Amino acid sequence: MSNEKHTVKVMRITEVAQGVREIVLKSANPGLLPAFTPGAHVDVFLPNAMARAYSLTNASEPQGATEYVLAIGLASASRGGSRYVHEQLQEGELLEVGTPRNLFPLSDDPAPALLIAGGIGITPLRAMARLRQAQKRPWHLVYAARSRAHAAYASELMAHGDAVEFHFDSEMGGPLAVGQALAGLTPQTHLYCCGPQALMDKVRELAAGHPSSHLHFESFGAQLPASTGPQARGFAVELARQGRVIEVAPDRSLIDCLEDSGVVVPSVCREGICGACECTVLGGEVDHRDSILSDAEKQANQTMMICVSRAKGERLVLDL
Ligand code: FES
């Protein structure tokens, strides 16, 4: 994984739906930006000292990308990331971005793909739909949004006719009936879902019998179980390479305690959704709280996201 940063220029900012800004970034230096595949995200380092991971919604050539296109919704509980983008970011501004990473890749399996998007979760799924269309492979998108006005890229997607099914809460008297959205699911279908946690939880619940290799989820929100607070327990972390042991208090995250002790691990979202802080686990059982690792990866207990995950027992050993 490359942690290299690239300087980009904000070329264009467009309102593509109510509360959604599309940001087009181009390299500030000659040449292309690093290539990416549908489902990838890029870490954006904002001038207000915040870093956020955003899905890329455009396509890239294998040799490199001419631009990175993001669609960023204004989060009602924004801690400064989307609020900055919506209220302060200007065309012409220079930003630093990381090298794109893909934790939500589109399978190369030609079998049908069912894409379920909730709100701004459309961003990676739009890129997937475009690739499947270009590959002439079967795909179907179910796109749920609060209203027609809130649905980014709705008119573009309407051009695909029956391949796209819209659900607007305001017109249909409530949220998407997930059971109906999954009606066409066959054991061969790859199911991709990106949206609010409640939608993803419902999809997981109703698709529980589906082969796990064909289930793909991407979170964009921070509605993760609290990693600190009264319900959390303290534990010790042994840093195997450094030969040190650090105590993690119930009300602190592991990454905060490491930083207090002068141990810096790269991080971006600090919400368990970007993968930047992944560490190798050498001992102890992890209480995984992230939205990145699959159930099988969590069970394998080989890595953890130290910004949100904790120890199930009294001690963890990390390869640090
Ligand atoms: S910093 Fe993003 S997953 Fe930990």
Side-chain angles (χ1 to χ4, degrees):
M1 177 189 301
S2 167
N3 288 321
E4 205 185 332
K5 287 189 188 169
H6 315 276
T7 307
V8 293
K9 188 171 182 180
V10 180
M11 301 303 295
R12 208 169 55 247
I13 300 177
T14 316
E15 203 84 10
V16 287
Q18 195 172 322
V20 181
R21 288 187 125 189
E22 183 189 74
I23 313 291
V24 178
L25 305 171
K26 279 189 191 285
S27 178
N29 300 305
L32 297 171
L33 289 163
F36 63 91
T37 51
H41 70 265
V42 67
D43 298 334
V44 179
F45 300 88
L46 296 166
N48 64 351
M50 298 206 77
R52 284 285 175 267
Y54 293 114
S55 292
L56 290 153
T57 192
N58 62 317
S60 158
E61 295 298 327
Q63 66 272 19
T66 52
E67 58 189 25
Y68 290 162
V69 182
L70 317 172
I72 300 173
L74 176 60
S76 50
S78 173
R79 292 181 295 123
S82 66
R83 189 159 297 285
Y84 181 89
V85 169
H86 277 258
E87 293 176 1
Q88 294 183 58
L89 189 70
Q90 300 289 332
E91 291 179 351
E93 207 167 317
L94 296 180
L95 298 175
E96 299 272 284
V97 298
T99 297
R101 284 177 285 152
N102 201 338
L103 302 168
F104 186 48
L106 182 64
S107 167
D108 203 33
D109 190 341
L114 174 60
L115 317 172
I116 300 184
I120 198 61
I122 190 62
T123 51
L125 299 181
R126 172 184 179 233
M128 291 182 176
R130 291 165 114 189
L131 180 62
R132 294 288 298 193
Q133 182 72 12
Q135 292 173 326
K136 299 191 172 32
R137 288 179 171 172
W139 63 277
H140 186 73
L141 168 68
V142 179
Y143 183 7
R146 278 156 62 193
S147 73
R148 209 170 278 265
H150 287 90
Y153 305 117
S155 40
E156 168 195 307
L157 291 165
M158 272 170 197
H160 291 289
D162 290 348
V164 183
E165 203 176 313
F166 291 93
H167 176 97
F168 302 121
D169 298 358
S170 61
E171 295 175 25
M172 293 165 190
L176 176 73
V178 173
Q180 277 174 26
L182 297 179
L185 200 63
T186 69
Q188 291 73 34
T189 306
H190 280 266
L191 171 60
Y192 299 83
C193 180
C194 182
Q197 198 65 43
L199 172 70
M200 297 206 301
D201 288 347
K202 196 71 193 166
V203 172
R204 270 185 218 277
E205 180 194 324
L206 297 182
H210 201 62
S212 60
S213 57
H214 287 46
L215 288 175
H216 315 270
F217 292 90
E218 167 98 323
S219 171
F220 65 79
Q223 296 185 29
L224 303 166
S227 64
T228 58
Q231 76 282 31
R233 308 159 23 131
F235 57 98
V237 184
E238 185 181 331
L239 310 183
R241 277 189 270 143
Q242 301 189 24
R244 298 170 64 190
V245 175
I246 289 170
E247 296 295 329
V248 180
D251 62 345
R252 306 293 313 284
S253 70
L254 204 170
I255 198 166
D256 284 344
C257 294
L258 290 185
E259 285 172 356
D260 288 352
S261 307
V263 182
V264 177
V265 174
S267 66
V268 176
C269 69
R270 296 176 88 101
E271 293 173 347
I273 57 176
C274 78
C277 68
E278 185 169 13
C279 285
T280 300
V281 178
L282 301 176
E285 208 183 337
V286 180
D287 176 7
H288 292 283
R289 315 270 182 114
D290 65 275
S291 297
I292 300 165
L293 298 176
S294 65
D295 290 347
E297 287 168 331
K298 286 178 178 163
Q299 216 158 7
N301 203 59
Q302 288 173 348
T303 68
M304 69 183 292
M305 305 305 147
I306 62 165
C307 61
V308 289
S309 297
R310 305 181 67 82
K312 274 197 180 149
E314 313 250 299
R315 196 176 182 93
L316 284 177
V317 186
L318 297 182
D319 187 18
L320 285 174

